């Protein structure tokens, strides 16, 4: 039997009020892809941060090869060959791609000078392997989220790694970028690098991993060999029950048209878009990243002025100049980038959730604590948000729980039209089905819901109708009865098939 | 052209366009309003303007580094004064006096070392206590100023060394000694920030501190070095200025920190860190100096000068914001 590349033994890690890890052991063999799974807040990222020198464990030890090792800081972990690709983007936006990839270890010449020639040459070599469309000198802030993620991934290739940790690397990648990522992982594997792979996406896990370890509430639950197990087994281990992932849901009673869009265009971003969403209806927007869906959502939320076309709410034409207008008219947007757009990371859970309506929650001139807490409690229960209490700083929550706070925030506004952009990115299977249920439930209560998603199972699962987009154009609108996976894939690749009324 | 390049160019170029505008305005307005009969764009006048920019300018270069790093240093005015006191007083010490005229070289070393030490103290506290640099240096500003007063009460500290005065008043290739110091410091800091690992790390830390920590950059020591650099530059500025004047009042350098921060911000450095440029800071320093001199030239008094500079600062930041939003096309909720 091969010796593990590294091993964590009986790791305990507590934060004030939280026992994030409770005696967890985990190992990865050289040349193995080992998945780490668990619900949001199960402790996956925390375990990896212990390994990466960001957190110090209260108990337990780390072995690199046979040697016990102390990772006092990220530098030491790196020196021992551990590369950490973070879940939340960890990039300096005003710096170049090259400087970000080699952050903390820029190649030097005499007098502490940066060796730019080497830096750019090495970076371009890595970028070539990753087949990305930008070069070493590009400023990171000008890249899309997906491309920024590729910059993070590029870091795995800079050093002679013993082990590489990928913490939800695919959350914002397109399919073609995923293929590249999996090639990279394959290459690393061939070089005998141990890979730890965290993801909530079962299909990926079953495609690329060799073994799966499961955490639950900070405890180690077991390790399965991927080839010999099923999705259901993993889910059982993760959340203690099976999930109903069937596609069919009851159609809610469809009411009046809540939103109608006619011939909407915005420069090159999207052109001549027409659709309507009725009360009680969920309309899914499916397409590749960059198809223009987010931009339409931003227009509807008053963030991006259209160059042509009309927006009608309840049959009345509106001009949405700012999010304030949009919110006043009952439109809510759960944005795609929660860290940059959805949350104030330094603020506590409750204040984040009540932020857009805090002006209404007053008793006399003061903000009413009680009302705020009541709202927080209601949505914490509804969405099953794992936090020790409303006082917890949002930045300390696990990624998935942060997303739930954003959703809770907008749900608590009781919007007429709820737009959700990638609602379950980074969310575990259990909560994902909760959120899907919630979206259906909102529809049945008479809300109009617009769901933007790059995950086919998700759009198929929640939508009454599906709008397929390609390069800023609306290719076709499907009803949930007529849609098939094949026709959907064709549509988002720009292939128009007959049979759909284009302007539904 | 990559996206954002145009707006970056505009932002970088804006301060120089502003300077050109100022020069044009004061030249024309000077024709009608001037209290002197000399033209504003007179060669000597411009040389003097550069020379007078030096004391603030030298420190502003250090402040750019500190602010790009995501910190701020309010104690520079006090360090400036304390270094000046040490510079002038040390030349009267018996063993120094015995060394004759050239003792000033040692006096410089004392003053500069004092600046570095005070900066190190600031940096060490910021590193070890984790308290915001604003608070630490606010305390330091009061404390260091207290030391200045303890030294000599309300009285000025004076010493004239003629070798030194000759040196300070010298002109080389037309430029004054102080101007040369400013130019060398600007070049040196530009090199540090754009060419060295330390400088690039300063940008990274200011931009995303967590990312820098994750990447294994040792943020604390890094910041301490930056505070030592600005301490050094504050002392250097005192050395350059007081070598010539030979007398320091305990109130000298008060409000310097505000002028310096104004110049740096005018030059486009972000208060939140992560972005800024040494060359644009030089522009900011010159713009303020031209404004002060120009307003004097057309007969405005000090209070008008302050009011105008305040208004211009706000207008410039507003414009910068507009440009930024357009250039980035990043729409944040
Ligand atoms: N710095 C911190 N301070 C306090 N609590 C923390 C901190 N970091 C993590 N936690 C808590 O530890 C628990 C585990 O969080 P962790 O981020 O490891 O979850 P995760 O398994 O990565 O979840 P996800 O799938 O959502 O990313 C959570 O309850 C979280 O709130
Ligand atoms: Mg996580």
């Amino acid at each position: 039997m091969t010796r593990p590349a590294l091993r964590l033994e009986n790791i305990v890690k507590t934060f004030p009020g939280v026992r994030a890890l409770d005696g967890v052991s985990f190992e990865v063999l050289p040349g193995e892809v080992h998945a780490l799974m668990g619900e949001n807040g199960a402790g996956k990222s925390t375990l990896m941060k212990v390994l990466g020198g960001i957190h110090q464990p209260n108990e337990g030890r780390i072995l690199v090869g046979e040697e016990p090792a102390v990772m006092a800081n990220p530098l030491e972990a790196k020196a021992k060959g551990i590369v950490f690709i973070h879940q939340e983007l960890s990039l300096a936006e005003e710096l170049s791609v090259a400087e970000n990839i080699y952050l903390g270890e820029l190649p030097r010449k005499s007098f502490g000078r940066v060796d730019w020639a080497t830096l750019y040459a090495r970076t371009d070599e890595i970028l070539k392997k990753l087949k990305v469309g930008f070069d070493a000198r590009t400023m990171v802030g000008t890249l899309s989220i997906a491309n920024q993620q590729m910059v993070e991934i590029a870091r795995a290739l800079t050093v002679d790694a013993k082990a590489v940790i990928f913490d939800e690397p695919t959350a914002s990648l397109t399919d073609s970028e995923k293929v590249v990522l999996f090639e990279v992982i394959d290459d690393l594997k061939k070089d005998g690098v141990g890979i730890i792979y965290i993801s909530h996406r079962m299909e990926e896990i079953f495609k690329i991993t060799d073994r799966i370890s499961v955490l639950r509430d900070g405890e180690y639950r077991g390790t399965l060999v991927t080839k010999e197990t099923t999705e259901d087994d993993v889910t059982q281990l993760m959340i203690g029950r099976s999930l109903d992932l069937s596609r069919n849901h009851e159609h809610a009673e469809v009411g009046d048209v809540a939103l109608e869009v006619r011939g909407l265009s915005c420069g090159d971003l999207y052109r001549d878009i027409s659709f309507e969403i009725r009360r009680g209806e969920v309309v899914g927007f499916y397409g590749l990243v960059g198809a223009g869906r987010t931009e339409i959502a931003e227009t509807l939320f008053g963030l991006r002025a259209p160059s042509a076309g009309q927006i009608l709410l309840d049959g009345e034409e509106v001009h949405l100049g700012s999010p304030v207008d949009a919110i006043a008219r009952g439109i809510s947007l759960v944005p795609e980038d929660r860290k940059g757009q959805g949350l104030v990371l330094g603020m506590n859970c409750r204040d984040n959730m009540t932020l857009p309506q805090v002006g209404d929650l007053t008793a006399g001139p003061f903000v009413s604590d009680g009302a705020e807490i009541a709202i927080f409690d209601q949505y914490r229960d509804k969405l099953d948000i794992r936090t020790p209490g409303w006082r917890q700083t949002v930045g300390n929550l696990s990624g998935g729980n942060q997303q739930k706070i954003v959703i809770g925030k907008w749900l608590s506004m009781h919007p007429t039209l709820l737009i959700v952009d990638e609602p379950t990115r980074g969310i575990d299977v259990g909560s994902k089905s909760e959120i899907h249920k919630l979206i259906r439930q909102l529809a049945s209560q008479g809300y109009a819901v617009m769901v933007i998603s790059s995950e086919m199972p998700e759009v198929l699962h929640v939508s009454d109708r599906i709008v397929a987009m390609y390069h800023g154009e609306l290719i076709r609108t499907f009803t949930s009865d007529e849609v098939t996976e094949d026709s959907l894939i064709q549509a988002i690749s720009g292939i128009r098939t007959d049979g759909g009324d284009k302007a539904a | 052209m990559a996206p954002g390049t145009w707006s970056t160019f505009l932002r970088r170029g804006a301060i120089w366009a502003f300077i050109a505008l100022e020069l044009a305005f004061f030249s024309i307005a000077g024709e009608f309003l001037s209290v002197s009969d000399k033209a504003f764009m007179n060669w000597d006048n411009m040389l003097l303007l550069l020379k007078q920019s030096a004391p603030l300018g030298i420190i502003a270069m250090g402040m750019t580094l500190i602010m790009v790093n995501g910190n701020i240093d309010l104690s520079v005015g006090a360090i400036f004064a304390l270094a000046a006191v040490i510079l002038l007083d040390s030349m009267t010490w018996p063993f120094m006096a015995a060394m004759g005229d050239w003792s000033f070289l040692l006096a410089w070393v004392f003053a500069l070392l004092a600046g570095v030490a005070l900066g190190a103290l600031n940096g060490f506290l910021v590193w070890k206590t984790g308290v915001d640099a604003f608070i630490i240096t606010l305390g330091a500003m009061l404390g260091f100023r207290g030391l200045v007063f303890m030294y000599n009460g309300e009285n000025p500290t004076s010493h004239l060394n003629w070798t030194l005065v000759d040196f300070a008043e010298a002109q080389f290739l037309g430029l004054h000694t102080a101007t040369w110091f400013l130019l060398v410091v600007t070049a040196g800091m530009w090199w540090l920030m754009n060419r060295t690992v330390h400088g690039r790390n300063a940008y990274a830390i200011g931009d995303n501190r967590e990312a820098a920590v994750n990447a294994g950059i040792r943020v604390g020591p890094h910041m301490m070095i930056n505070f030592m650099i600005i301490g050094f530059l504050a002392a250097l500025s005192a050395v350059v200025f007081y070598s010539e004047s030979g007398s320091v009042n305990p109130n000298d350098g008060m409000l310097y920190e505000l002028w310096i921060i104004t110049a740096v911000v005018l030059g486009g450095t972000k208060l939140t860190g992560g972005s800024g440029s040494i060359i644009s800071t030089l522009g900011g320093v010159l713009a303020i100096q031209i404004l002060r001199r120009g307003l004097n030239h057309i007969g405005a008094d000090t209070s008008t000068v302050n009011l105008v500079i305040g208004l211009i600062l706000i207008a410039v930041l507003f414009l910068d914001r507009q440009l930024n939003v357009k250039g980035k096309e990043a729409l944040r909720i």
Side-chain angles (χ1 to χ4, degrees), chain A residues 54 74-75 78 86 90-95 99 103-104 106-108 111-114 116 142 298 301 303-304 333 335 337 340-341, chain B residues 3-4 11 191 194-198 200-201 203-204 207-208 210-218 270 274-275 328-329 331-333:
Chain A
I54 295 166
L75 205 58
K78 223 184 213 175
H86 288 269
S90 177
L91 299 168
E93 298 200 343
E94 303 262 349
L95 299 192
E99 285 175 281
L103 196 63
L106 295 174
R108 288 167 192 258
F111 303 110
R113 283 176 303 159
V114 179
W116 295 103
T142 63
E298 285 174 347
F301 197 57
L303 278 168
R304 200 182 270 284
L333 170 66
D337 165 20
Q341 307 181 326
Chain B
R11 265 195 295 157
W191 180 81
N194 291 290
R195 290 283 178 267
T196 69
V197 173
H198 182 85
R200 299 317 295 171
N201 285 350
Y203 280 96
D207 192 326
N208 188 340
E210 210 182 308
V213 173
N214 286 344
I217 297 174
R218 299 191 60 206
K270 271 198 210 155
S275 121
K328 258 199 167 170
E329 255 215 331
L331 296 153
R332 305 271 171 207
I333 296 170

Side-chain angles (χ1 to χ4, degrees), chain A residues 13-21 37-49 55 87-88 167-168 198 200 215 218 338 386-388 392-402 426-428:
Chain A
K13 175 69 196 172
T14 57
F15 295 110
V18 192
R19 201 170 172 84
L21 295 172
M37 295 197 73
E39 289 177 280
N40 297 129
K44 304 179 295 292
S45 297
T46 307
L47 186 66
M48 292 303 110
K49 283 179 184 168
H55 291 324
Q87 177 173 16
E88 307 292 341
D167 196 349
E168 298 194 34
I198 301 179
H200 291 294
L215 297 185
R338 63 172 167 266
R386 305 278 171 86
T387 158
Q392 181 67 278
T393 310
V394 162
N396 289 342
L397 293 189
S398 75
N401 281 307
Q402 290 183 5
I427 289 199
D428 68 59

